[in-house]
Amino acid sequence: MKIKFTVNGRPETVDTDPMRRLLDVLRDDFGFLGVKEGCGEGECGACSVLVNGEIVFSCITPVGTVEGSEILTIEGYRNTERYRAIEAAMEEAGGVQCGFCTPGFVLAAEALLRKNPHPSEDEIREGISGNLCRCTGYSGIVEGIKKAAESEGVW
Amino acid sequence: MKEKKKDSTAVRGGTASTSRASISGPVPRQDAPGKISGVASYIGDLCFEGMLYARTLRSTVPRARIVSIDIPAMPEGYFVVDARDVPGKNGVHMLTDEQPFFAEERVNYVGEPILLVTGPERGKIDQILRGIRVEYEEIPPVFGEEDSKNPRIPPLFGERNLFCEYEIRRGEVEEAFFDADFVFEGCYHTGAQEHVYLEPQGTAGVFDGERVTVYGSMQCPYYVKTALVGGLGWKEDRIRVVQATTGGAFGGKEEYPSIIAGHVAFAAIKTGRPVLLVFDRAEDVVCTTKRHPSLIRMRTAVDDRGAIRGMEIDIALDGGAYVGLSPVVLQRAMFAATGVYRIPCIRVKGRVFATNSVPTGAFRGFGAPQAFFAVEMHMHSLAEKLRKDPLEFKRSYLLSMGDPTVTDGRMKQEVPLPRMIDRLCKLSGYEKKHRAYKKEKTRRGIGVSLFFHGCAFTGSGEKDKIKAKVLLKKEDDESVSILVSNVEMGQGAQTTLKKIVAETLGCGLERVRYDNPDTDRVPDSGPTVASRTVMIVGGLLAKAAGRLKRRMDEKGEVKIEERYVQPPHIEWDQDTFTGDAYPVYSWGANAVEVEVDPVTFEVRVIGVWGIYDVGTPIDERIVGGQIEGGISQGLGYATIELLQKENGRLRQKNLTDYIIPSSMDFPDPVYELFSSSYEHGPFGAKCAGELPFVGVAPAVAAAVQNAIGRPVRRLPVSPEYLFEAEHDED
């Protein structure tokens, strides 16, 4: 089946089984390896991507459901000014350790901050609650997002 | 918007010491840009020309003889790899080499690997695996220690199902118990725990007709290499091991990767193609190692003045089906058995028993968390029995410099706990809260734990077994390469090791290079375990850098080698477990405040405080990350991480039913560093990676005990357990 969507700003058409996981299509067909598989069942968020601006677990998303959508992975997002604000803040706050969950958290932060540019700590914690991190205990990630939100004129 | 709780310094937590070493200030984490941007290449991101995938057929029964394996005809390009494809010994070398790479005649746990199917398409591999039939003749399995006594169950290991058994005695313990006014007893259970590194395990094997290269997510490239030497029966120079960026490990990637390194090596040799084997989460949960469940019985002889005369401690750990690293885990548990206390005489017995279940192994803390849970709860309960304040009671037994350790070594450094406790009480408001909660019956509670972690390998392991060797090389282009086998796995080794070298040389960080270890390039500086990387390997690098500094003006390449030399103050007899079990200790004190729901019995953590002495922190932000992450993992272990076995099978199968902390579950910890300086550590550093995990669970349990007014003797402190504890008539 032919499925059309936009990935990282480029229109694409894939001819594939619509039940294939979006995760596999992004990794295997497009080589977007920043999309990680941590659990394969929508619990950990390492596979997070943005679909029309909403955070989505690509491991439980059949590719057929993204027909006509705009998909953003870390590979597309990392060229933006907003990414640079998050990157600098995450580094400074110690939000990165093993890094496997990190691209997912960055996209979760984007999904949160684009709707709510000045979130409270509770709103940040809720905003990233679909993503698991085993290394940091979340303190560094939460503080990183707080700092990113303080970047003037970005959000 | 909420008011910001903290100032805007880069580091949460703070430093309580008056002087702060210049090296401790945080620097940009060297691996962060590649990880945030998704550029870092983990094992599942590797791709080789003509690469095949692989998946494992595993035992579905806990114990059986394999009668037959019916494999349908393989489509072209697909292969089965099994024990017959192991050219050397079918045994994975760790302490012993009894655990097979692939089961042959027998299987001993659910999840034990039997064979691999490899080929170009993953979907097809799964289809082939579904068509393979294994006929088993089941053997009565050993599920617990009591099964060793059942004559109808043949032993799994030796005659008594014990992988190992040790005893340590110090002083006249029988006399102490004979003279006792009363004996206080307690039994403490801890459950299994899953590591849940976010990146599941994986390896890739490449064979070029002469040499085999294995890439993998791993902590110990040379453990893997040694296992491959055994499995392949080849000379070392034909084997190369390269660490891929590793997405968390926590001990789970200490011994386990050796098994799947063998699998991909055998498969690559058989097929002549590169082979990638990456677990999905469910497979990772089924077959990789877990934290040892424990049952610790403690008996304390108390005299008529209410003073402790002696202790008898009996530690039993469930080792699963193969010995793995269990004897060393047990030793660390035994050496921590009396905690931070001065006990006049002791007897500590320990054993690891075999069961037909997935092997247990290395996990942050390595036996110490179980021992500290038992001793901290025991001391707490004994204080309550004597109608004394638990913290004051503990305080009166603190070890101090010159006191004997469990193994009759001597505390050779100052024990900073008294000052740490004062600070902890001030930060947490412990004393007032503890008294109030005891009276008020508000179902709130606060608890304290006191603990240490023995830095680096136990006993003379560094000198006799590991014999670490590091290289520092000034390259032609004037950069300096760190050549060690210790990996970056999230703990910050890349940054801290570079910092140690740059600070010693007096050069910028950008001049120092560190690449993922490749055994063709790096010497064996030992495994990335036991919180040894900064203190031992960093210490050797600091020495090497000191020597290199004098030769930096030389033209061209300069290579400096440094080998481990045991500090002269250590005396240890491994046969009798006598002397200094560790070169030095890091110290910690935690306070945890909780509220126990009167209806659901859920434990809500309200506050967490910690004071730590890890020597000089090499980077406060990185040490802070270890503390915050260790506390989070410890809170999970204490409260929500339930991993149960039922008839040899794990009841939890993935992250849907095995729950780890999310961003919503626990408050940010408040902590401070108390920096002493250790003369044999680089810039005075001791160990930091495991310590923050060790004390969390006993502090949670003590807080719950304070809240419900009932003894807590089991981890995790689950609602089911608390319901039972509160309705227990005893």
Side-chain angles (χ1 to χ4, degrees):
Chain A
M1 188 177 145
K2 284 199 174 153
I3 302 154
K4 284 186 186 179
F5 47 82
T6 306
V7 189
N8 297 333
R10 275 182 60 141
E12 302 281 0
T13 305
V14 293
D15 190 0
T16 191
D17 175 357
M19 286 308 289
R20 268 182 78 204
R21 306 187 299 175
L22 177 59
L23 169 71
D24 294 328
V25 173
L26 291 172
R27 285 181 60 89
D28 298 348
D29 300 8
F30 293 98
F32 292 131
L33 299 174
V35 191
K36 305 295 184 196
E37 178 171 351
C39 73
E41 49 195 17
E43 290 289 343
C44 80
C47 66
S48 296
V49 298
L50 298 184
V51 177
N52 300 329
E54 298 287 335
I55 194 92
V56 154
F57 299 136
S58 65
C59 73
I60 50 169
T61 303
V63 68
T65 65
V66 300
E67 167 75 34
S69 303
E70 278 187 33
I71 296 163
L72 189 67
T73 74
I74 193 71
E75 285 83 357
Y77 186 59
R78 69 187 175 211
N79 303 314
T80 64
E81 195 191 347
R82 289 172 168 197
Y83 168 79
R84 281 184 287 278
I86 294 177
E87 183 194 39
M90 289 283 266
E91 268 193 64
E92 201 196 331
V96 187
Q97 288 192 30
C98 89
F100 199 76
C101 70
T102 311
F105 271 100
V106 170
L107 291 171
E110 161 64 22
L112 169 70
L113 294 176
R114 73 160 62 184
K115 281 189 199 149
N116 180 1
H118 301 292
S120 67
E121 173 162 341
D122 288 346
E123 287 167 341
I124 293 173
R125 286 185 176 273
E126 198 181 333
I128 58 171
S129 62
N131 294 61
L132 293 176
C133 168
R134 190 60 152 168
C135 298
T136 66
Y138 305 99
S139 310
I141 297 171
V142 171
E143 190 177 319
I145 296 172
K146 231 185 263 177
K147 277 181 194 297
E150 288 163 12
S151 303
E152 291 294 325
V154 178
W155 309 102
Chain B
M1 200 171 124
K2 264 192 192 172
E3 224 178 305
K4 281 210 303 174
K5 281 182 224 154
K6 293 161 205 149
D7 64 16
S8 61
T9 54
V11 183
R12 291 169 301 280
T15 303
S17 64
T18 46
S19 63
R20 181 209 208 195
S22 69
I23 198 170
S24 300
V27 300
R29 206 182 144 111
Q30 302 292 294
D31 52 341
K35 286 175 170 176
I36 304 175
S37 60
V39 169
S41 197
Y42 297 82
I43 187 69
D45 304 330
L46 299 192
C47 190
F48 302 91
E49 179 87 35
M51 184 173 85
L52 304 179
Y53 297 99
R55 203 170 162 89
T56 314
L57 181 81
R58 301 184 176 280
S59 170
T60 55
V61 296
R63 190 180 195 186
R65 190 174 74 81
I66 297 176
V67 178
S68 65
I69 303 176
D70 180 23
I71 302 169
M74 282 286 135
E76 202 186 320
Y78 290 81
F79 302 86
V80 163
V81 180
D82 64 16
R84 290 165 298 182
D85 300 303
V86 181
K89 184 172 171 157
N90 185 20
V92 186
H93 185 77
M94 197 53 242
L95 297 175
T96 70
D97 46 16
E98 273 156 290
Q99 178 167 15
F101 285 102
F102 293 112
E104 286 187 71
E105 289 157 11
R106 281 165 192 277
V107 287
N108 285 319
Y109 64 95
V110 172
E112 183 159 17
I114 297 171
L115 57 81
L116 216 61
V117 173
T118 175
E121 277 179 44
R122 281 172 290 194
K124 187 89 190 157
I125 292 171
D126 288 343
Q127 198 188 332
I128 293 168
L129 281 167
R130 284 193 294 272
I132 298 177
R133 293 277 167 267
V134 183
E135 192 187 332
Y136 298 105
E137 181 185 286
E138 293 204 40
I139 302 168
V142 181
F143 287 144
E145 205 178 6
E146 63 288 354
D147 292 337
S148 309
K149 296 180 188 99
N150 186 335
R152 284 174 307 170
I153 304 177
L156 173 60
F157 186 90
E159 283 175 14
R160 297 161 58 224
N161 275 328
L162 293 182
F163 287 129
C164 58
E165 191 176 19
Y166 306 121
E167 182 172 334
I168 303 170
R169 296 171 58 101
R170 176 167 56 69
E172 302 300 323
V173 72
E174 282 83 1
E175 213 171 281
F177 277 83
F178 185 81
D179 292 343
D181 184 52
F182 76 97
V183 173
F184 184 71
E185 302 194 24
C187 245
Y188 307 89
H189 295 257
T190 64
Q193 189 185 19
E194 177 68 33
H195 302 83
V196 197
Y197 28 71
L198 256 284
E199 178 212 26
Q201 304 227 16
T203 47
V206 179
F207 179 55
D208 67 4
E210 171 58 28
R211 300 184 80 214
V212 79
T213 302
V214 171
Y215 301 82
S217 178
M218 64 178 74
Q219 294 175 237
C220 315
Y222 275 92
Y223 280 3
V224 171
K225 184 169 176 176
T226 305
L228 288 170
V229 166
L232 291 166
W234 290 2
K235 287 211 170 101
E236 280 184 30
D237 56 7
R238 291 179 66 196
I239 299 161
R240 177 182 169 211
V241 177
V242 184
Q243 182 237 356
T245 303
T246 296
F250 312 111
K253 295 171 183 173
E254 176 170 350
E255 69 273 41
Y256 191 82
S258 296
I259 300 179
I260 52 174
H263 291 177
V264 292
F266 309 142
I269 292 164
K270 180 165 187 171
T271 61
R273 306 265 294 266
V275 175
L276 178 70
L277 174 69
V278 176
F279 289 167
D280 60 26
R281 181 60 60 182
E283 186 171 19
D284 198 293
V285 171
V286 163
C287 67
T288 62
T289 52
K290 316 294 167 212
R291 187 184 297 283
H292 289 73
S294 74
L295 170 59
I296 302 182
R297 292 167 207 274
M298 303 204 52
R299 299 179 74 233
T300 299
V302 184
D303 70 16
D304 51 9
R305 291 170 302 123
I308 295 176
R309 295 287 310 279
M311 272 190 187
E312 280 186 346
I313 299 160
D314 179 89
I315 302 176
L317 302 179
D318 180 346
Y322 295 101
V323 62
L325 288 165
S326 289
V328 200
V329 173
L330 175 64
Q331 286 166 30
R332 197 175 269 274
M334 292 175 71
F335 302 161
T338 54
V340 299
Y341 307 111
R342 189 185 66 248
I343 308 297
C345 56
I346 51 177
R347 175 162 64 202
V348 184
K349 288 159 89 175
R351 62 196 178 281
V352 180
F353 56 91
T355 55
N356 286 105
S357 52
V358 62
T360 44
F363 196 154
R364 195 179 209 170
F366 208 76
Q370 294 92 323
F372 274 101
F373 172 68
V375 69
E376 285 298 282
M377 296 318 291
H378 190 70
M379 289 291 282
H380 183 110
S381 296
L382 174 55
E384 288 183 341
K385 162 102 183 168
L386 295 168
R387 301 186 183 284
K388 290 179 182 172
D389 175 78
L391 186 56
E392 280 317 304
F393 182 68
K394 287 176 177 180
R395 227 194 253 259
S396 64
Y397 284 95
L398 290 181
L399 284 164
S400 54
M401 193 154 82
D403 280 341
T405 63
V406 169
T407 53
D408 207 19
R410 290 293 173 273
M411 273 297 152
K412 300 224 161 105
Q413 293 88 11
E414 189 221 330
V415 178
L417 282 172
R419 290 180 294 132
M420 292 169 67
I421 294 168
D422 289 344
R423 186 69 191 145
L424 182 75
C425 287
K426 196 160 183 198
L427 278 184
S428 65
Y430 168 81
E431 281 151 329
K432 209 173 141 193
K433 286 179 182 170
H434 187 261
R435 276 195 303 272
Y437 294 156
K438 210 170 166 168
K439 258 192 255 152
E440 289 166 9
K441 309 276 178 219
T442 53
R443 299 190 71 82
R444 278 201 174 197
I446 188 165
V448 161
S449 66
L450 309 174
F451 50 98
F452 61 64
H453 198 71
C455 303
F457 263 78
T458 300
S460 53
E462 294 287 348
K463 175 169 74 84
D464 296 332
K465 291 207 179 74
I466 304 301
K467 301 174 185 162
K469 185 173 136 183
V470 307
L471 278 176
L472 202 56
K473 196 167 133 202
K474 183 174 82 73
E475 310 278 2
D476 285 336
D477 65 1
E478 299 299 300
S479 67
V480 174
S481 294
I482 293 174
L483 298 172
V484 298
S485 59
N486 301 88
V487 310
E488 171 64 59
M489 53 191 180
Q491 88 285 38
Q494 183 175 353
T495 306
T496 47
L497 294 181
K498 274 190 181 183
K499 239 180 141 176
I500 288 167
V501 170
E503 182 89 5
T504 310
L505 288 173
C507 71
L509 265 188
E510 67 290 343
R511 198 166 162 190
V512 183
R513 289 172 49 175
Y514 168 96
D515 295 318
N516 287 350
D518 168 346
T519 58
D520 274 7
R521 293 177 56 245
V522 303
D524 185 357
S525 53
T528 316
V529 306
S531 304
R532 66 184 288 278
T533 302
V534 163
M535 190 178 92
I536 301 289
V537 181
L540 291 173
L541 285 170
K543 273 192 197 167
R547 285 166 56 205
L548 181 62
K549 191 176 183 180
R550 296 192 287 273
R551 299 179 56 188
M552 284 299 273
D553 294 336
E554 289 179 26
K555 287 264 169 290
E557 197 183 285
V558 181
K559 237 180 185 176
I560 307 281
E561 184 188 292
E562 201 59 59
R563 286 168 187 268
Y564 180 76
V565 180
Q566 185 165 285
H569 67 266
I570 302 174
E571 291 166 40
W572 178 250
D573 181 343
Q574 180 67 23
D575 297 326
T576 58
F577 292 159
T578 310
D580 302 309
Y582 302 99
V584 67
Y585 297 84
S586 281
W587 302 90
N590 277 143
V592 171
E593 187 176 356
V594 302
E595 188 170 59
V596 180
D597 189 293
V599 178
T600 65
F601 292 90
E602 277 168 308
V603 174
R604 189 167 73 87
V605 175
I606 300 166
V608 183
W609 297 266
I611 310 287
Y612 304 91
D613 164 25
V614 299
T616 304
I618 295 302
D619 187 289
E620 284 167 358
R621 182 160 54 205
I622 285 176
V623 170
Q626 289 300 298
I627 289 170
E628 289 160 352
I631 287 175
S632 171
Q633 209 168 38
L635 290 169
Y637 179 53
T639 58
I640 55 177
E641 294 187 30
L642 193 61
L643 185 61
Q644 301 158 298
K645 285 193 294 188
E646 194 173 46
N647 297 330
R649 286 176 174 78
L650 295 171
R651 288 176 68 174
Q652 290 74 19
K653 305 207 176 313
N654 47 42
L655 299 189
T656 307
D657 48 14
Y658 185 80
I659 308 297
I660 65 166
S662 79
S663 57
M664 308 277 283
D665 294 330
F666 298 108
D668 271 337
V670 175
Y671 57 91
E672 284 182 359
L673 293 173
F674 242 71
S675 300
S676 64
S677 183
Y678 173 51
E679 59 173 323
H680 298 286
F683 298 91
K686 300 192 289 188
C687 61
E690 294 168 279
L691 177 78
F693 182 91
V694 174
V696 180
V700 171
V704 173
Q705 183 154 330
N706 182 222
I708 66 172
R710 289 278 194 162
V712 173
R713 291 179 171 176
R714 184 181 287 272
L715 292 179
V717 188
S718 64
E720 293 82 358
Y721 170 63
L722 287 182
F723 179 84
E724 277 171 33
E726 290 210 44
H727 292 80
D728 191 349
E729 289 304 306
D730 301 329

